[in-house]
Amino acid sequence: MDLPDLLRPAAEELFGDRLELAARFATLLGTGGVVRGLIGPREAPRIWDRHLLNCAAVAELIPSGASVADVGSGAGLPGIVLAVARPDLTIALVEPLARRTAFLSEAVTALGLDDTVTVIRGRAEDVAGGPLPPADIVTARAVAPLDRLAGWCLPLAALGGRLLALKGSSAAEEIAEHEAAVGRLGGSTPVVRLCGETLLDAPTTVVEIVRERRVVPARSGKAARPERRSGRSSEGGRRRRG
């Protein structure tokens, strides 16, 4: 997909000397991404402003050399875009659907990103504490409401690590609705960040949550609870089987 002239200054600022690589990814999205149902046909003309620049702007919130887990990566948004814009990052693309992971793997190879990007097929709740080490940053774009998103993503972050959730104009309302649930899941008070304000007509809205503590994952519909420190358990606190 051709880069519109009006967007070129922002694209040059966000991608630098890797702009040509970003253009190659835009072509992959506009062709194979559309054919395989990862990008809607009506989205193709807006790949640069709605997808690539929107995602690349988030890089300003990510420190140098960070490890990133991109949950529900789909077509590689924002994961592959961040890998193109920031070669210093180590990125894992977490995606449960086979047809999407196939596209992601092909795109990573085609763009020469194999050294910094790994594709992991699975749900976030299944890979936490498993093949994926705790990440400095967890990203997610248009995946789920904030309470469910925090439940899936915070366990993938290191303590002190951050969830960066790309959201729309209703981010503040979503925070008001789910702030208590995020806290129960071990997250800090969510904060709205606007990325690319000086570059984009519509800055990227990101909800930032710090993972402040570990919690025991919820089971059988029960609420998550803080993880207890190891120590001796009293016999009176144990239920004996008859």
Side-chain angles (χ1 to χ4, degrees):
M1 299 289 107
D2 292 336
L3 172 61
D5 290 339
L6 288 175
L7 301 179
R8 182 168 291 276
E12 290 175 344
E13 179 68 23
L14 291 170
F15 291 106
D17 61 3
R18 290 166 72 88
L19 180 56
E20 182 179 346
L21 193 61
R24 287 166 56 190
F25 184 48
T27 299
L28 290 175
L29 289 175
T31 53
V34 171
V35 170
R36 295 156 89 160
L38 305 182
I39 295 289
R42 295 182 180 179
E43 293 296 296
R46 298 194 60 190
I47 281 175
W48 279 99
D49 62 334
R50 191 176 180 87
H51 298 295
L52 271 65
L53 301 183
N54 175 270
C55 291
V58 179
E60 68 185 56
L61 298 178
I62 303 177
S64 177
S67 59
V68 179
D70 184 33
V71 172
S73 196
L77 305 168
I80 289 182
V81 177
L82 292 174
V84 171
R86 291 282 301 279
D88 60 296
L89 304 178
T90 302
I91 299 179
L93 309 177
V94 181
E95 170 57 52
L97 297 184
R99 66 183 176 88
R100 294 178 179 173
T101 55
F103 174 83
L104 292 172
S105 296
E106 292 167 15
V108 166
T109 298
L111 298 172
L113 300 174
D114 298 270
D115 289 342
T116 58
V117 181
T118 303
V119 179
I120 298 176
R121 184 182 173 194
R123 300 183 303 171
E125 55 267 43
D126 295 331
V127 303
L132 189 62
D136 300 316
I137 300 291
V138 181
T139 57
R141 184 178 190 245
V143 172
L146 202 56
D147 55 342
R148 280 191 284 160
L149 195 62
W152 296 336
C153 295
L154 287 178
L156 294 176
L159 286 178
R162 293 175 290 146
L163 165 62
L164 302 179
L166 283 70
K167 291 289 184 177
S169 58
S170 62
E173 289 83 353
E174 200 169 335
I175 288 174
E177 181 178 356
H178 299 300
E179 180 178 345
V182 170
R184 290 193 295 270
L185 292 164
S188 66
T189 300
V191 176
V192 174
R193 308 287 189 197
L194 296 179
C195 301
E197 288 186 277
T198 62
L199 296 172
L200 308 178
D201 289 339
T204 306
T205 301
V206 176
V207 175
E208 180 182 63
I209 301 171
V210 178
R211 188 186 187 193
E212 295 185 328
R213 65 190 187 283
R214 296 185 179 91
V215 298
V216 177
R219 295 181 179 177
S220 303
K222 297 181 180 179
R225 63 184 187 278
E227 183 177 280
R228 294 182 178 179
R229 297 182 182 273
S230 59
R232 295 182 61 184
S233 299
S234 64
E235 287 294 324
R238 296 178 181 176
R239 182 175 296 175
R240 305 182 66 170
R241 297 179 183 270

Short mmCIF file of all heavy atoms in Angstrom, two decimals, residues 162-217:
data_model
loop_
_atom_site.label_atom_id
_atom_site.label_comp_id
_atom_site.label_asym_id
_atom_site.label_seq_id
_atom_site.Cartn_x
_atom_site.Cartn_y
_atom_site.Cartn_z
N ARG A 162 4.59 -3.36 32.59
CA ARG A 162 3.39 -2.59 32.27
C ARG A 162 2.58 -3.22 31.14
O ARG A 162 3.14 -3.78 30.20
CB ARG A 162 3.77 -1.17 31.84
CG ARG A 162 4.37 -0.33 32.95
CD ARG A 162 4.84 1.01 32.43
NE ARG A 162 6.01 0.88 31.57
CZ ARG A 162 6.27 1.65 30.52
NH1 ARG A 162 5.42 2.59 30.15
NH2 ARG A 162 7.36 1.48 29.82
N LEU A 163 1.27 -3.12 31.28
CA LEU A 163 0.35 -3.42 30.20
C LEU A 163 0.03 -2.12 29.47
O LEU A 163 -0.34 -1.13 30.11
CB LEU A 163 -0.94 -4.03 30.75
CG LEU A 163 -2.15 -4.08 29.81
CD1 LEU A 163 -1.87 -4.94 28.58
CD2 LEU A 163 -3.39 -4.59 30.54
N LEU A 164 0.21 -2.12 28.15
CA LEU A 164 -0.16 -0.99 27.31
C LEU A 164 -1.29 -1.46 26.41
O LEU A 164 -1.07 -2.19 25.45
CB LEU A 164 1.03 -0.51 26.48
CG LEU A 164 2.28 -0.08 27.26
CD1 LEU A 164 3.38 0.34 26.29
CD2 LEU A 164 1.96 1.06 28.23
N ALA A 165 -2.50 -1.05 26.74
CA ALA A 165 -3.69 -1.47 25.99
C ALA A 165 -4.12 -0.35 25.06
O ALA A 165 -4.49 0.73 25.52
CB ALA A 165 -4.81 -1.85 26.95
N LEU A 166 -4.07 -0.61 23.75
CA LEU A 166 -4.50 0.38 22.77
C LEU A 166 -6.02 0.41 22.76
O LEU A 166 -6.67 -0.59 22.48
CB LEU A 166 -3.95 0.05 21.39
CG LEU A 166 -2.47 0.36 21.13
CD1 LEU A 166 -1.56 -0.58 21.91
CD2 LEU A 166 -2.15 0.26 19.66
N LYS A 167 -6.57 1.56 23.06
CA LYS A 167 -8.02 1.70 23.19
C LYS A 167 -8.52 2.87 22.35
O LYS A 167 -7.75 3.60 21.74
CB LYS A 167 -8.38 1.93 24.67
CG LYS A 167 -8.16 0.69 25.56
CD LYS A 167 -9.20 -0.38 25.24
CE LYS A 167 -9.09 -1.57 26.16
NZ LYS A 167 -10.15 -2.57 25.88
N GLY A 168 -9.84 3.03 22.33
CA GLY A 168 -10.45 4.11 21.58
C GLY A 168 -10.83 5.28 22.46
O GLY A 168 -10.33 5.44 23.57
N SER A 169 -11.77 6.06 21.98
CA SER A 169 -12.15 7.30 22.67
C SER A 169 -12.88 7.04 23.99
O SER A 169 -13.01 7.94 24.81
CB SER A 169 -13.05 8.14 21.76
OG SER A 169 -14.21 7.41 21.38
N SER A 170 -13.36 5.82 24.20
CA SER A 170 -14.10 5.51 25.43
C SER A 170 -13.19 4.98 26.54
O SER A 170 -13.67 4.39 27.51
CB SER A 170 -15.20 4.48 25.14
OG SER A 170 -14.63 3.27 24.67
N ALA A 171 -11.89 5.18 26.41
CA ALA A 171 -10.93 4.63 27.38
C ALA A 171 -11.23 5.09 28.81
O ALA A 171 -11.18 4.30 29.75
CB ALA A 171 -9.51 5.01 26.98
N ALA A 172 -11.53 6.36 28.99
CA ALA A 172 -11.78 6.88 30.34
C ALA A 172 -13.00 6.22 30.96
O ALA A 172 -12.99 5.86 32.15
CB ALA A 172 -11.96 8.40 30.29
N GLU A 173 -14.06 6.04 30.16
CA GLU A 173 -15.25 5.38 30.68
C GLU A 173 -14.96 3.92 31.03
O GLU A 173 -15.46 3.40 32.04
CB GLU A 173 -16.38 5.44 29.64
CG GLU A 173 -16.97 6.82 29.43
CD GLU A 173 -16.15 7.68 28.46
OE1 GLU A 173 -15.06 7.25 28.04
OE2 GLU A 173 -16.62 8.78 28.14
N GLU A 174 -14.13 3.28 30.23
CA GLU A 174 -13.78 1.89 30.50
C GLU A 174 -12.97 1.78 31.79
O GLU A 174 -13.16 0.84 32.57
CB GLU A 174 -12.99 1.32 29.32
CG GLU A 174 -13.00 -0.19 29.25
CD GLU A 174 -12.44 -0.73 27.95
OE1 GLU A 174 -12.47 -0.01 26.93
OE2 GLU A 174 -11.95 -1.87 27.97
N ILE A 175 -12.09 2.72 32.02
CA ILE A 175 -11.32 2.73 33.26
C ILE A 175 -12.25 2.89 34.46
O ILE A 175 -12.12 2.18 35.47
CB ILE A 175 -10.27 3.86 33.24
CG1 ILE A 175 -9.14 3.51 32.28
CG2 ILE A 175 -9.73 4.12 34.64
CD1 ILE A 175 -8.13 4.62 32.09
N ALA A 176 -13.19 3.82 34.37
CA ALA A 176 -14.12 4.04 35.48
C ALA A 176 -14.91 2.78 35.80
O ALA A 176 -15.16 2.47 36.96
CB ALA A 176 -15.07 5.20 35.13
N GLU A 177 -15.26 2.03 34.76
CA GLU A 177 -16.06 0.83 34.96
C GLU A 177 -15.25 -0.33 35.54
O GLU A 177 -15.75 -1.12 36.34
CB GLU A 177 -16.68 0.40 33.63
CG GLU A 177 -17.56 -0.84 33.73
CD GLU A 177 -18.21 -1.21 32.41
OE1 GLU A 177 -18.03 -0.45 31.42
OE2 GLU A 177 -18.89 -2.26 32.36
N HIS A 178 -13.97 -0.43 35.15
CA HIS A 178 -13.20 -1.63 35.48
C HIS A 178 -12.01 -1.39 36.41
O HIS A 178 -11.25 -2.32 36.67
CB HIS A 178 -12.69 -2.28 34.19
CG HIS A 178 -13.78 -2.72 33.27
ND1 HIS A 178 -14.74 -3.64 33.62
CD2 HIS A 178 -14.07 -2.36 31.98
CE1 HIS A 178 -15.57 -3.84 32.61
NE2 HIS A 178 -15.19 -3.06 31.61
N GLU A 179 -11.86 -0.19 36.96
CA GLU A 179 -10.69 0.10 37.78
C GLU A 179 -10.59 -0.84 38.98
O GLU A 179 -9.50 -1.32 39.33
CB GLU A 179 -10.74 1.55 38.26
CG GLU A 179 -9.57 1.95 39.12
CD GLU A 179 -9.62 3.42 39.53
OE1 GLU A 179 -10.38 4.19 38.93
OE2 GLU A 179 -8.88 3.78 40.46
N ALA A 180 -11.71 -1.11 39.64
CA ALA A 180 -11.68 -1.98 40.81
C ALA A 180 -11.25 -3.40 40.44
O ALA A 180 -10.46 -4.03 41.16
CB ALA A 180 -13.05 -2.01 41.49
N ALA A 181 -11.75 -3.90 39.31
CA ALA A 181 -11.38 -5.24 38.87
C ALA A 181 -9.90 -5.31 38.54
O ALA A 181 -9.22 -6.30 38.87
CB ALA A 181 -12.21 -5.64 37.65
N VAL A 182 -9.37 -4.28 37.91
CA VAL A 182 -7.94 -4.24 37.59
C VAL A 182 -7.12 -4.31 38.88
O VAL A 182 -6.10 -5.01 38.95
CB VAL A 182 -7.59 -2.98 36.78
CG1 VAL A 182 -6.08 -2.81 36.66
CG2 VAL A 182 -8.23 -3.04 35.40
N GLY A 183 -7.54 -3.58 39.90
CA GLY A 183 -6.84 -3.62 41.17
C GLY A 183 -6.84 -5.00 41.80
O GLY A 183 -5.82 -5.45 42.34
N ARG A 184 -7.96 -5.69 41.73
CA ARG A 184 -8.03 -7.05 42.28
C ARG A 184 -7.11 -8.00 41.53
O ARG A 184 -6.68 -9.01 42.08
CB ARG A 184 -9.47 -7.56 42.22
CG ARG A 184 -10.42 -6.88 43.20
CD ARG A 184 -11.71 -7.62 43.34
NE ARG A 184 -12.48 -7.63 42.10
CZ ARG A 184 -13.37 -6.70 41.76
NH1 ARG A 184 -13.59 -5.67 42.56
NH2 ARG A 184 -14.04 -6.78 40.62
N LEU A 185 -6.83 -7.69 40.28
CA LEU A 185 -5.97 -8.54 39.46
C LEU A 185 -4.49 -8.21 39.60
O LEU A 185 -3.65 -8.78 38.91
CB LEU A 185 -6.39 -8.42 37.99
CG LEU A 185 -7.77 -9.02 37.67
CD1 LEU A 185 -8.26 -8.50 36.31
CD2 LEU A 185 -7.71 -10.54 37.67
N GLY A 186 -4.18 -7.29 40.50
CA GLY A 186 -2.78 -6.96 40.76
C GLY A 186 -2.27 -5.76 40.02
O GLY A 186 -1.06 -5.48 40.04
N GLY A 187 -3.16 -5.02 39.36
CA GLY A 187 -2.73 -3.87 38.57
C GLY A 187 -2.88 -2.55 39.29
O GLY A 187 -3.66 -2.41 40.23
N SER A 188 -2.11 -1.58 38.85
CA SER A 188 -2.19 -0.23 39.40
C SER A 188 -3.44 0.47 38.87
O SER A 188 -4.16 -0.06 38.01
CB SER A 188 -0.96 0.57 38.99
OG SER A 188 -0.96 0.77 37.57
N THR A 189 -3.68 1.67 39.35
CA THR A 189 -4.75 2.49 38.78
C THR A 189 -4.44 2.76 37.31
O THR A 189 -3.36 3.27 36.99
CB THR A 189 -4.86 3.82 39.54
OG1 THR A 189 -5.16 3.55 40.91
CG2 THR A 189 -5.96 4.70 38.93
N PRO A 190 -5.34 2.41 36.40
CA PRO A 190 -5.07 2.64 34.98
C PRO A 190 -4.95 4.13 34.66
O PRO A 190 -5.65 4.96 35.24
CB PRO A 190 -6.31 2.03 34.29
CG PRO A 190 -6.89 1.09 35.29
CD PRO A 190 -6.63 1.72 36.62
N VAL A 191 -4.05 4.44 33.73
CA VAL A 191 -3.82 5.82 33.32
C VAL A 191 -3.90 5.90 31.81
O VAL A 191 -3.39 5.03 31.10
CB VAL A 191 -2.42 6.31 33.79
CG1 VAL A 191 -2.14 7.71 33.27
CG2 VAL A 191 -2.31 6.25 35.30
N VAL A 192 -4.55 6.93 31.30
CA VAL A 192 -4.65 7.14 29.85
C VAL A 192 -3.43 7.92 29.37
O VAL A 192 -3.08 8.97 29.93
CB VAL A 192 -5.93 7.91 29.48
CG1 VAL A 192 -5.94 8.25 27.98
CG2 VAL A 192 -7.16 7.07 29.81
N ARG A 193 -2.78 7.40 28.33
CA ARG A 193 -1.67 8.09 27.68
C ARG A 193 -2.04 8.34 26.22
O ARG A 193 -2.63 7.48 25.56
CB ARG A 193 -0.40 7.24 27.71
CG ARG A 193 0.00 6.72 29.08
CD ARG A 193 0.55 7.81 29.96
NE ARG A 193 1.13 7.28 31.18
CZ ARG A 193 1.39 8.00 32.27
NH1 ARG A 193 1.14 9.30 32.26
NH2 ARG A 193 1.91 7.45 33.34
N LEU A 194 -1.66 9.49 25.71
CA LEU A 194 -1.85 9.81 24.30
C LEU A 194 -0.49 9.80 23.61
O LEU A 194 0.42 10.52 24.02
CB LEU A 194 -2.53 11.16 24.12
CG LEU A 194 -3.95 11.27 24.67
CD1 LEU A 194 -4.50 12.69 24.44
CD2 LEU A 194 -4.87 10.24 24.04
N CYS A 195 -0.36 8.98 22.58
CA CYS A 195 0.93 8.82 21.90
C CYS A 195 0.87 9.44 20.51
O CYS A 195 -0.14 9.35 19.81
CB CYS A 195 1.27 7.33 21.78
SG CYS A 195 1.39 6.46 23.35
N GLY A 196 1.97 10.06 20.11
CA GLY A 196 2.04 10.65 18.78
C GLY A 196 1.28 11.95 18.65
O GLY A 196 0.84 12.31 17.55
N GLU A 197 1.13 12.67 19.75
CA GLU A 197 0.32 13.90 19.72
C GLU A 197 0.85 14.94 18.74
O GLU A 197 0.07 15.69 18.15
CB GLU A 197 0.22 14.50 21.12
CG GLU A 197 -0.64 13.73 22.09
CD GLU A 197 -0.82 14.45 23.41
OE1 GLU A 197 0.07 14.33 24.28
OE2 GLU A 197 -1.83 15.16 23.57
N THR A 198 2.17 15.02 18.59
CA THR A 198 2.74 16.03 17.71
C THR A 198 2.85 15.54 16.27
O THR A 198 3.22 16.32 15.39
CB THR A 198 4.13 16.46 18.20
OG1 THR A 198 5.02 15.33 18.17
CG2 THR A 198 4.06 17.00 19.62
N LEU A 199 2.54 14.27 16.04
CA LEU A 199 2.73 13.68 14.71
C LEU A 199 1.42 13.29 14.02
O LEU A 199 1.32 13.38 12.80
CB LEU A 199 3.61 12.43 14.82
CG LEU A 199 5.06 12.64 15.29
CD1 LEU A 199 5.73 11.29 15.52
CD2 LEU A 199 5.84 13.44 14.24
N LEU A 200 0.45 12.83 14.81
CA LEU A 200 -0.76 12.25 14.23
C LEU A 200 -1.96 13.15 14.45
O LEU A 200 -2.12 13.77 15.51
CB LEU A 200 -1.04 10.88 14.86
CG LEU A 200 0.12 9.87 14.84
CD1 LEU A 200 -0.30 8.58 15.54
CD2 LEU A 200 0.59 9.60 13.42
N ASP A 201 -2.84 13.19 13.46
CA ASP A 201 -4.08 13.96 13.60
C ASP A 201 -4.94 13.37 14.71
O ASP A 201 -5.60 14.10 15.45
CB ASP A 201 -4.86 13.96 12.28
CG ASP A 201 -4.20 14.81 11.22
OD1 ASP A 201 -3.39 15.69 11.58
OD2 ASP A 201 -4.47 14.59 10.02
N ALA A 202 -4.93 12.04 14.80
CA ALA A 202 -5.65 11.35 15.87
C ALA A 202 -4.63 10.55 16.69
O ALA A 202 -4.26 9.44 16.31
CB ALA A 202 -6.71 10.42 15.29
N PRO A 203 -4.14 11.11 17.80
CA PRO A 203 -3.15 10.40 18.61
C PRO A 203 -3.68 9.04 19.08
O PRO A 203 -4.89 8.82 19.20
CB PRO A 203 -2.93 11.34 19.81
CG PRO A 203 -3.36 12.69 19.32
CD PRO A 203 -4.48 12.43 18.35
N THR A 204 -2.76 8.13 19.34
CA THR A 204 -3.13 6.80 19.80
C THR A 204 -3.43 6.84 21.29
O THR A 204 -2.63 7.33 22.09
CB THR A 204 -1.97 5.81 19.56
OG1 THR A 204 -1.60 5.87 18.18
CG2 THR A 204 -2.38 4.39 19.92
N THR A 205 -4.61 6.34 21.66
CA THR A 205 -5.01 6.29 23.07
C THR A 205 -4.57 4.97 23.67
O THR A 205 -4.93 3.90 23.17
CB THR A 205 -6.54 6.45 23.21
OG1 THR A 205 -6.95 7.68 22.63
CG2 THR A 205 -6.95 6.43 24.68
N VAL A 206 -3.79 5.04 24.73
CA VAL A 206 -3.26 3.85 25.39
C VAL A 206 -3.63 3.89 26.87
O VAL A 206 -3.47 4.93 27.52
CB VAL A 206 -1.73 3.77 25.25
CG1 VAL A 206 -1.17 2.58 26.03
CG2 VAL A 206 -1.33 3.67 23.78
N VAL A 207 -4.13 2.78 27.38
CA VAL A 207 -4.35 2.65 28.82
C VAL A 207 -3.15 1.90 29.40
O VAL A 207 -2.85 0.79 28.99
CB VAL A 207 -5.65 1.88 29.13
CG1 VAL A 207 -5.78 1.66 30.63
CG2 VAL A 207 -6.85 2.65 28.61
N GLU A 208 -2.47 2.54 30.33
CA GLU A 208 -1.26 1.98 30.94
C GLU A 208 -1.58 1.46 32.34
O GLU A 208 -2.15 2.17 33.17
CB GLU A 208 -0.17 3.04 31.00
CG GLU A 208 1.13 2.55 31.62
CD GLU A 208 2.16 3.66 31.70
OE1 GLU A 208 1.89 4.65 32.43
OE2 GLU A 208 3.20 3.56 31.05
N ILE A 209 -1.18 0.21 32.60
CA ILE A 209 -1.38 -0.42 33.91
C ILE A 209 -0.07 -1.08 34.33
O ILE A 209 0.50 -1.87 33.57
CB ILE A 209 -2.50 -1.48 33.86
CG1 ILE A 209 -3.83 -0.85 33.41
CG2 ILE A 209 -2.66 -2.16 35.22
CD1 ILE A 209 -4.92 -1.87 33.13
N VAL A 210 0.39 -0.79 35.52
CA VAL A 210 1.60 -1.41 36.06
C VAL A 210 1.20 -2.66 36.84
O VAL A 210 0.22 -2.65 37.60
CB VAL A 210 2.36 -0.45 36.99
CG1 VAL A 210 3.59 -1.12 37.60
CG2 VAL A 210 2.75 0.81 36.23
N ARG A 211 1.94 -3.75 36.65
CA ARG A 211 1.69 -4.94 37.45
C ARG A 211 2.37 -4.76 38.80
O ARG A 211 3.58 -4.84 38.92
CB ARG A 211 2.22 -6.21 36.77
CG ARG A 211 1.77 -7.46 37.52
CD ARG A 211 2.37 -8.74 36.99
NE ARG A 211 1.77 -9.89 37.65
CZ ARG A 211 2.24 -11.13 37.59
NH1 ARG A 211 3.32 -11.39 36.85
NH2 ARG A 211 1.63 -12.11 38.23
N GLU A 212 1.58 -4.53 39.83
CA GLU A 212 2.12 -4.21 41.15
C GLU A 212 2.32 -5.43 42.03
O GLU A 212 3.16 -5.42 42.93
CB GLU A 212 1.21 -3.21 41.86
CG GLU A 212 1.13 -1.86 41.17
CD GLU A 212 0.33 -0.85 41.94
OE1 GLU A 212 -0.65 -1.27 42.63
OE2 GLU A 212 0.64 0.35 41.86
N ARG A 213 1.54 -6.47 41.82
CA ARG A 213 1.66 -7.66 42.65
C ARG A 213 1.12 -8.87 41.91
O ARG A 213 0.35 -8.74 40.96
CB ARG A 213 0.92 -7.49 43.98
CG ARG A 213 -0.59 -7.35 43.82
CD ARG A 213 -1.26 -6.94 45.11
NE ARG A 213 -2.70 -6.97 44.99
CZ ARG A 213 -3.43 -6.05 44.38
NH1 ARG A 213 -2.83 -5.00 43.84
NH2 ARG A 213 -4.73 -6.16 44.30
N ARG A 214 1.52 -10.04 42.36
CA ARG A 214 1.01 -11.28 41.79
C ARG A 214 -0.31 -11.63 42.45
O ARG A 214 -0.51 -11.36 43.64
CB ARG A 214 1.99 -12.43 41.99
CG ARG A 214 3.32 -12.26 41.27
CD ARG A 214 4.16 -13.52 41.45
NE ARG A 214 5.44 -13.40 40.75
CZ ARG A 214 6.55 -12.94 41.29
NH1 ARG A 214 6.53 -12.52 42.56
NH2 ARG A 214 7.66 -12.88 40.60
N VAL A 215 -1.19 -12.25 41.70
CA VAL A 215 -2.43 -12.78 42.25
C VAL A 215 -2.58 -14.21 41.79
O VAL A 215 -2.05 -14.60 40.74
CB VAL A 215 -3.67 -11.96 41.84
CG1 VAL A 215 -3.59 -10.54 42.36
CG2 VAL A 215 -3.83 -11.96 40.32
N VAL A 216 -3.30 -15.00 42.57
CA VAL A 216 -3.60 -16.37 42.17
C VAL A 216 -4.67 -16.32 41.09
O VAL A 216 -5.70 -15.66 41.28
CB VAL A 216 -4.10 -17.19 43.37
CG1 VAL A 216 -4.48 -18.59 42.94
CG2 VAL A 216 -3.01 -17.25 44.44
N PRO A 217 -4.47 -16.96 39.92
CA PRO A 217 -5.46 -16.91 38.85
C PRO A 217 -6.82 -17.41 39.32
O PRO A 217 -6.93 -18.32 40.14
CB PRO A 217 -4.87 -17.86 37.78
CG PRO A 217 -3.41 -17.88 38.06
CD PRO A 217 -3.28 -17.76 39.56
#
